[in-house]
Amino acid sequence: MQAIGLHFSDWIIILFYFAFIIGIGFYLKKYTKSEDDFFLAGRRNSSWVAGLAFLSANLGALELLGMTGNTFKYGMYVAHFYWIGAIPAMLFLGIFMMPFYYSGRIKSVPGYLKLRFDEKTRVLNGISFAIMTLLVSGINLYAMALVLHTFLGWNWDVSMWASAVTVAVYVTLSGLMSAIFTEIIQFFLIWFGLFLVSVLGIIEIGSLGEIMQRVPEAFSKLWSTSGDPTQNGMMITWGGIVLGLGFVLSFGYWTTDFLVVQRAFSAKNLRSARMTPIIASFFKMAVPFIVIVAGLIALVLSKDPNSGFALTSDGGKLNYDSALPMLIARYFPRGLVGLGITALLAGFMAGQAGNISAFNTVWTYDIYQSVINKKASPKHLLWMGRMATIVGIIMSVATAYWAKSMPTIMDYMQAIFSWVNAPLFATMLLGMFVKWITPNGAFWGLIAGMGSSITMYLAVKFEWISISAVTFSKVASDMAANFWRAWWAWLICFVVTIVVSLFTKKKPEEELVGLVKGLTKEIAGEFVPWYKKPAFFAVLSLIVFVLLNIYFW
Amino acid sequence: MAENVKKMKPIWFFVGLILLVMGGVILATGVYDLIARVESKTVLARLHPNIWWGAIMVLAGLIFVLANKNATVE
């Protein structure tokens, strides 16, 4: 394809963004004196700051490109990722789980596992999370360079190294604080930079109603075609959506993935921490107004022979990820192109910073201090956090080069969350709500869950078993297989944890106070009227969620 | 250190600053293109989206900057 041309004003915007975020890193360094400042942003964030960062840590450019492309491919079903695949889990985290996380003053999710269970469960989760985070970070870096090379014609190495070094500079200087600052800036750039695509698309086609009328019926519905997998583009039943995506993958990601939960830990008090995912839920429900609407606009335009719009193709195969860049090229004149590209760059780099800031915390506390140097001083841990940032970036770059030489590892990445997060959610759920679950039960449950998920993935990939053995249907997409595999991994971890707990030694109840429901007193914080309570906002969010699902049923 | 922390500007100030500068560049480009009659090949170019969208960004940026110019984070 012909590269999108950039004008002088586009370059000014892009270069200004790079200078601005490096400047923020230097500005915040003088406020980053202690390990709490570096790893937890000083625990002084309001619920709005933590909430927008919580959402933005997940709102990467790969997701924006991929989900817009997926909408072109699957239609409205992609909205399940934003609604049933996120909202119930975010509200559950805020209302039920956050008190256990926040009250323990822990610094990471593996840190909770140490307090609730034991050291070996913490280290197992710490190592698997660190590996997953670096892999995701490296793949993101590779994908970013690929996108910039494909659509802008930029040099692969230069774009990768420029963004990696920029992220390394500002995260090394001021840790989670600068990561959160850049995530919030990314949030605004994405809305200002990409929402305009939907606005102009709607103006060109006529109205949102016209767009919905011009796409196939199966592409404009959320649930009414989910009874039969042959009737929807995703080839999945409602059972797979509810159990796999809505329950296991969603709760596994939003309630246990330290990348997002770390943002809530940075809140200034328990109420702010509980409000963090609840505030984020409202904005999460709004993201489809960028990605789903843009994907449907691309679909409508591509079906109209007079529009002159088409996705790019790679070896005769449609490149669905090109939908959003092609719309930017179609609608954005000079200046706005720079903003659109900066929004994508900000998404890539903030995602990279999020992964690295989560990695440096887990490495420093849950692997280094836990296994290698138990007597490390706070000053030494701060130094180690900065070193872990630099090493993490170098390992991400190495992973990106590995991905470049072996693109098939991208296939594995799509499945990695169901390997690590899905079973971990079973461990957390049992750990927080059932007091007789034992350390050995949690450890062996996690091993069984992770092992079974990886085994199922390899067994289907290398055709040792049929995909229908996992999905219960003769037809299934890779995405459907992911959902179902996550469900089985969760169930196996859940059952093994319970069975092993029945036969192994329990922890004394006095060691579980503050960590398990039934042994934790309600914390009486500052008095707030009912309309400022987290539960009130959670109910509001739930009402909007239900209405959206009914409207697009 | 405590004094330094009190002087830290909130993130909203920086959000305003970046929207103001970027919006200003986009608005200025749009106005220049209109005055110099620079032809754009993009769809809906007749609506001059860089002018009104740039103006919206400048306005949003100004609101954030002015509302937070004296604010500090404890």
Side-chain angles (χ1 to χ4, degrees):
Chain A
M1 64 163 283
Q2 192 184 353
I4 299 170
L6 294 181
H7 176 254
F8 179 65
S9 56
D10 300 317
W11 281 109
I12 288 183
I13 288 172
I14 293 168
L15 294 175
F16 176 73
Y17 172 73
F18 274 88
F20 193 81
I21 57 171
I22 289 177
I24 280 184
F26 279 98
Y27 174 76
L28 293 176
K29 183 176 184 293
K30 58 185 169 182
Y31 305 104
T32 312
K33 304 286 185 193
S34 68
E35 49 166 340
D36 247 13
D37 291 335
F38 187 84
F39 294 110
L40 289 167
R43 285 198 202 259
R44 56 173 165 253
N45 285 326
S46 68
S47 49
W48 279 91
V49 171
L52 290 190
F54 182 93
L55 173 70
S56 302
N58 164 265
L59 192 63
L62 261 189
E63 154 151 339
L64 294 167
L65 294 174
M67 289 301 179
T68 307
N70 277 335
T71 304
F72 190 99
K73 200 172 168 185
Y74 302 123
M76 276 293 291
Y77 265 55
V78 176
H80 287 308
F81 283 93
Y82 296 92
W83 297 342
I84 196 171
I87 306 307
M90 291 162 93
L91 301 182
F92 188 80
L93 171 67
I95 297 299
F96 297 107
M97 291 175 76
M98 196 54 76
F100 304 119
Y101 274 141
Y102 197 85
S103 306
R105 306 296 286 177
I106 49 166
K107 294 185 166 77
S108 66
V109 168
Y112 175 84
L113 294 173
K114 150 79 179 163
L115 293 180
R116 173 60 183 87
F117 300 114
D118 57 8
E119 196 72 44
K120 66 178 182 296
T121 312
R122 171 202 218 175
V123 173
L124 172 68
N125 178 243
I127 291 174
S128 53
F129 178 81
I131 293 171
M132 177 179 80
T133 307
L134 286 182
L135 278 174
V136 171
S137 172
I139 299 292
N140 273 335
L141 202 55
Y142 163 71
M144 183 198 70
L146 192 64
V147 167
L148 296 177
H149 178 73
T150 307
F151 297 108
L152 298 170
W154 290 3
N155 179 280
W156 202 91
D157 296 293
V158 171
S159 39
M160 200 180 73
W161 279 102
S163 59
V165 169
T166 307
V167 170
V169 168
Y170 71 76
V171 178
T172 305
L173 287 169
S174 36
L176 182 63
M177 204 160 14
S178 58
I180 286 178
F181 265 55
T182 52
E183 280 161 5
I184 291 177
I185 286 170
Q186 165 219 355
F187 173 84
F188 283 91
L189 290 181
I190 282 174
W191 274 97
F192 276 100
L194 301 177
F195 182 56
L196 184 59
V197 168
S198 300
V199 174
L200 293 173
I202 290 170
I203 292 173
E204 185 188 2
I205 293 169
S207 67
L208 197 56
E210 177 74 17
I211 293 170
M212 297 307 255
Q213 274 188 349
R214 284 169 64 178
V215 295
E217 198 187 346
F219 276 55
S220 62
K221 303 291 179 198
L222 266 183
W223 292 104
S224 57
T225 55
S226 64
D228 179 353
T230 60
Q231 296 302 307
N232 60 75
M234 214 175 263
M235 290 189 279
I236 193 166
T237 59
W238 62 268
I241 296 169
V242 174
L243 293 177
L245 176 65
F247 181 54
V248 178
L249 273 180
S250 166
F251 279 71
Y253 178 76
W254 290 103
T255 67
T256 71
D257 194 301
F258 184 52
L259 170 64
V260 286
V261 178
Q262 187 181 24
R263 275 71 195 148
F265 289 2
S266 78
K268 62 185 174 190
N269 55 36
L270 176 59
R271 181 182 168 275
S272 298
R274 295 182 77 185
M275 284 296 288
T276 295
I278 296 170
I279 286 177
S281 71
F282 288 96
F283 292 100
K284 184 73 181 172
M285 283 188 278
V287 176
F289 291 98
I290 297 179
V291 293
I292 307 288
V293 174
L296 294 178
I297 288 167
L299 184 63
V300 169
L301 291 176
S302 70
K303 285 181 180 298
D304 178 356
N306 298 320
S307 72
F309 180 86
L311 299 190
T312 63
S313 53
D314 193 7
K317 206 173 159 187
L318 273 188
N319 179 3
Y320 294 103
D321 289 353
S322 68
L324 194 54
M326 287 294 100
L327 288 173
I328 289 176
R330 179 180 182 84
Y331 293 125
F332 282 12
R334 309 192 304 178
L336 281 174
V337 172
L339 179 67
I341 299 300
T342 305
L344 291 179
L345 272 173
F348 276 120
M349 289 167 61
Q352 177 88 351
N355 277 305
I356 290 301
S357 57
F359 166 78
N360 66 26
T361 308
V362 167
W363 163 262
T364 304
Y365 289 113
D366 301 307
I367 300 173
Y368 181 74
Q369 189 186 30
S370 169
V371 179
I372 301 169
N373 185 357
K374 290 181 190 295
K375 292 178 182 170
S377 67
K379 196 177 169 189
H380 179 74
L381 291 176
L382 176 58
W383 175 85
M384 178 50 69
R386 289 197 158 115
M387 289 304 107
T389 303
I390 295 169
V391 173
I393 289 279
I394 292 170
M395 290 171 78
S396 298
V397 173
T399 306
Y401 276 108
W402 180 37
K404 190 185 178 193
S405 65
M406 200 177 82
T408 49
I409 69 164
M410 294 285 277
D411 298 341
Y412 293 83
M413 290 309 302
Q414 292 174 356
I416 199 164
F417 288 108
S418 63
W419 298 352
V420 177
N421 287 338
L424 179 61
F425 173 55
T427 310
M428 284 294 187
L429 199 61
L430 289 168
M432 285 182 174
F433 296 96
V434 185
K435 66 183 179 186
W436 51 264
I437 294 298
T438 67
N440 279 323
F443 181 76
W444 290 109
L446 259 186
I447 294 270
M450 288 165 64
S452 62
S453 185
I454 295 169
T455 308
M456 273 185 280
Y457 177 81
L458 295 176
V460 171
K461 186 172 178 65
F462 295 107
E463 297 177 355
W464 303 333
I465 61 170
S466 158
I467 196 167
S468 60
V470 177
T471 63
F472 290 133
S473 63
K474 286 178 183 166
V475 290
S477 61
D478 286 348
M479 208 171 271
N482 266 347
F483 293 173
W484 279 108
R485 197 173 50 250
W487 161 251
W488 293 123
W490 180 87
L491 191 64
I492 288 167
C493 178
F494 190 83
V495 172
V496 172
T497 303
I498 289 175
V499 171
V500 176
S501 292
L502 291 173
F503 300 101
T504 50
K505 192 181 167 195
K506 296 168 183 57
K507 261 190 141 177
E509 286 195 2
E510 57 269 25
E511 290 181 23
L512 302 179
V513 174
L515 302 169
V516 185
K517 187 149 182 77
L519 298 173
T520 306
K521 285 182 186 168
E522 284 286 324
I523 298 168
E526 55 174 323
F527 172 78
V528 288
W530 60 269
Y531 56 85
K532 286 188 177 175
K533 289 192 172 182
F536 172 69
F537 285 93
V539 170
L540 279 185
S541 176
L542 208 55
I543 291 171
V544 177
F545 164 74
V546 170
L547 290 177
L548 282 170
N549 277 279
I550 292 172
Y551 186 78
F552 290 103
W553 187 271
Chain B
M1 181 195 156
E3 275 184 18
N4 274 343
V5 171
K6 278 182 184 172
K7 287 176 189 166
M8 192 170 104
K9 284 273 180 203
I11 172 64
W12 313 117
F13 178 79
F14 296 97
V15 168
L17 211 55
I18 199 164
L19 292 180
L20 190 60
V21 173
M22 287 186 174
V25 173
I26 292 165
L27 176 62
T29 308
V31 171
Y32 173 82
D33 287 353
L34 184 68
I35 293 169
R37 297 181 184 278
V38 176
E39 194 189 341
S40 175
K41 289 179 181 170
T42 56
V43 174
L44 300 178
R46 62 190 155 79
L47 297 179
H48 301 286
N50 41 12
I51 293 182
W52 50 268
W53 198 252
I56 290 172
M57 287 180 72
V58 167
L59 191 65
L62 272 176
I63 291 170
F64 274 111
V65 167
L66 293 177
N68 293 284
K69 67 175 181 179
N70 296 320
T72 54
V73 178
E74 289 297 323

